[in-house]
Amino acid sequence: MDKQPGAMGTSAGLALRLGQATFSVSSLLFMCFGVSFFSYSYAPFCFLVTTMGLVTPWSLGLAMIDTFLVLAKRPSNQRRVLSAVVLGDWVLSVLSLAVSCSTASVADFLIASGNVYCRDNICLRYQLSAAMAFLTWILSSASLLFNLWLLPTLY
Amino acid sequence: MDKQPGAMGTSAGLALRLGQATFSVSSLLFMCFGVSFFSYSYAPFCFLVTTMGLVTPWSLGLAMIDTFLVLAKRPSNQRRVLSAVVLGDWVLSVLSLAVSCSTASVADFLIASGNVYCRDNICLRYQLSAAMAFLTWILSSASLLFNLWLLPTLY
């Protein structure tokens, strides 16, 4: 098997995973840190917290596996493992894109309509959280594409 | 080259394209038909009209090409054509998912906040339009996956 850059078990793949974990954690922090309970009454904000709460352990876990594979100098060429990783990446990248768009549109709407809850720049933080979720999606779909490109060559 | 079901130039691929065109046209109709100019002041609704206005001619054009290929009984095995189709499908499926989630969340928010413009069940139509855009995304990503699965075998 060729060693596809960016796929599982390469240093580029490890960097992608670490970037995903960083962005998803910052999205969670922007959304949750010091915010009152009000924000959780909106479904998109709730979904963003749920999705980023799934992306963070997934990326960190795969980053650990990638670290091991990079140090052991052997890329993963097991078909079933790669299929599971592709499936998980696909689900999580779709969810990331969906929640980032939903959160951004609701935050924009709250700002445009001059909602009373947007005091203290809190809606700006929702927008930043959506932007971080969007960056998570970009990196996650990059991982997905690299692994998906590799997958048919294993069959 | 194997004849991958659902890829370009097969009858399943043709059915997927026709489904995409149907759902994107119905999404456009739900959003635009008989609605006042007010709705276009919201960015997500505007983007939905733009995206579905791109998906419709793309799907119809590819459906025509698929019809030709099915009738001529030869699947497309040209690498560059398939790459262009995969790229276009990828962009349009990402846009479809993004606009459907944005529209759905803003429509839900308008209904939940009891907005005065939601009279005459107009927000229900926005929700239906978002649902149609979501179905367009499902079919579009199915086309994308089938073609993407085929692509590395051509290199």
Side-chain angles (χ1 to χ4, degrees):
Chain A
M1 192 196 65
D2 295 336
K3 201 171 176 181
Q4 162 92 30
M8 208 181 156
T10 61
S11 44
L14 176 61
L16 282 176
R17 295 290 170 200
L18 289 179
Q20 288 162 33
T22 313
F23 286 128
S24 60
V25 166
S26 32
S27 174
L28 272 178
L29 284 180
F30 275 123
M31 182 56 81
C32 299
F33 193 65
V35 172
S36 65
F37 281 108
F38 161 76
S39 64
Y40 302 113
S41 59
Y42 290 138
F45 298 165
C46 238
F47 288 146
L48 186 134
V49 173
T50 313
T51 306
M52 292 299 125
L54 287 171
V55 170
T56 308
W58 171 262
S59 301
L60 285 178
L62 285 177
M64 284 196 291
I65 295 175
D66 276 349
T67 312
F68 168 73
L69 290 173
V70 167
L71 289 179
K73 288 191 194 305
R74 52 167 186 179
S76 166
N77 51 6
Q78 289 171 2
R79 208 166 65 184
R80 288 194 185 169
V81 175
L82 203 63
S83 303
V85 169
V86 163
L87 191 68
D89 266 341
W90 190 72
V91 170
L92 288 180
S93 70
V94 164
L95 284 178
S96 303
L97 178 62
V99 294
S100 71
C101 292
S102 304
T103 306
S105 60
V106 167
D108 272 353
F109 186 78
L110 282 174
I111 291 175
S113 64
N115 197 298
V116 67
Y117 293 104
C118 273
R119 64 189 187 284
D120 301 335
N121 280 335
I122 224 164
C123 289
L124 186 69
R125 285 178 44 188
Y126 295 156
Q127 282 182 316
L128 280 174
S129 176
M132 293 296 140
F134 191 74
L135 290 174
T136 307
W137 168 70
I138 290 179
L139 294 184
S140 181
S141 58
S143 284
L144 171 66
L145 281 180
F146 286 128
N147 283 325
L148 197 59
W149 189 261
L150 186 62
L151 192 56
T153 61
L154 298 182
Y155 276 89
Chain B
M1 194 196 68
D2 294 336
K3 201 171 177 181
Q4 163 92 28
M8 210 184 154
T10 60
S11 44
L14 175 61
L16 282 176
R17 296 290 171 198
L18 289 179
Q20 288 163 32
T22 313
F23 285 129
S24 60
V25 167
S26 34
S27 173
L28 274 178
L29 285 181
F30 275 124
M31 180 57 79
C32 300
F33 193 65
V35 171
S36 66
F37 282 107
F38 162 76
S39 62
Y40 301 111
S41 59
Y42 289 139
F45 298 165
C46 240
F47 288 147
L48 185 133
V49 172
T50 313
T51 306
M52 291 300 125
L54 287 171
V55 169
T56 309
W58 171 262
S59 301
L60 284 178
L62 286 178
M64 282 196 291
I65 296 175
D66 276 349
T67 311
F68 167 72
L69 291 172
V70 166
L71 289 179
K73 289 191 193 306
R74 51 167 187 180
S76 166
N77 51 5
Q78 290 172 2
R79 208 168 63 185
R80 289 193 184 169
V81 175
L82 203 64
S83 304
V85 169
V86 163
L87 191 68
D89 266 342
W90 190 73
V91 171
L92 287 180
S93 70
V94 164
L95 285 178
S96 302
L97 179 61
V99 295
S100 71
C101 291
S102 304
T103 307
S105 60
V106 168
D108 271 353
F109 185 78
L110 282 173
I111 291 176
S113 64
N115 196 297
V116 67
Y117 293 103
C118 273
R119 65 189 185 285
D120 300 335
N121 281 334
I122 223 163
C123 291
L124 186 69
R125 285 179 45 189
Y126 296 154
Q127 282 182 315
L128 280 175
S129 177
M132 292 295 138
F134 191 75
L135 289 174
T136 308
W137 167 71
I138 290 179
L139 294 185
S140 182
S141 58
S143 284
L144 170 67
L145 282 180
F146 286 129
N147 284 324
L148 197 61
W149 190 260
L150 186 61
L151 194 56
T153 60
L154 297 182
Y155 277 88

